[in-house]
Amino acid sequence: MEYNELITRVRRASVEVPDTDTLLQGMRHTLKHRQQRRQWIVSMVFVLFVGGSVALLLPAAPAPRQLTLVERVSRQLDTPRNNTPAPLAGYRNSIRNRQIYTLI
């Protein structure tokens, strides 16, 4: 008998069905939320792609340059200001002379 009573109680109970405006509003909200999430994901992927490509294209810091023998010798000499050291001046003169001989 209890089973029959449960069936009659369920049949008597009113079922609250939301109206169509509420259903449509919920669907619009869900679709808008999905679209915003999709746009956010696409923009993050774009930012990461652009940032990664820029990071790969930027040149790395150049390695420190080895000093030539002339530069090492000229650093060891005491030189007055605005005056090039003798080894460096000789080196520059030899380059200039070689250029002149090449032109001749």
Side-chain angles (χ1 to χ4, degrees):
M1 290 260 183
E2 286 186 28
Y3 182 71
N4 289 335
E5 285 180 25
L6 286 174
I7 291 176
T8 55
R9 284 185 185 173
V10 167
R11 287 182 182 162
R12 287 183 193 162
S14 64
V15 178
E16 294 182 17
V17 178
D19 59 342
T20 55
D21 290 337
T22 308
L23 287 174
L24 289 175
Q25 186 178 9
M27 288 175 59
R28 285 186 192 118
H29 176 72
T30 303
L31 290 175
K32 184 178 178 182
H33 181 70
R34 286 181 186 171
Q35 184 180 11
Q36 286 176 347
R37 187 175 357 153
R38 196 175 301 127
Q39 286 176 348
W40 184 83
I41 289 172
V42 167
S43 64
M44 284 297 116
V45 167
F46 179 75
V47 166
L48 289 174
F49 177 73
V50 169
S53 62
V54 167
L56 289 176
L57 292 177
L58 287 178
R65 186 176 65 88
Q66 294 289 331
L67 296 177
T68 62
L69 179 62
V70 174
E71 291 171 338
R72 278 185 268 155
V73 170
S74 65
R75 281 191 179 188
Q76 293 173 356
L77 297 175
D78 292 330
T79 58
R81 293 183 181 252
N82 297 329
N83 192 7
T84 57
L88 194 55
Y91 182 69
R92 285 185 185 150
N93 288 336
S94 67
I95 290 176
R96 191 177 311 121
N97 290 339
R98 174 170 265 186
Q99 289 173 347
I100 290 172
Y101 288 128
T102 305
L103 289 174
I104 293 175

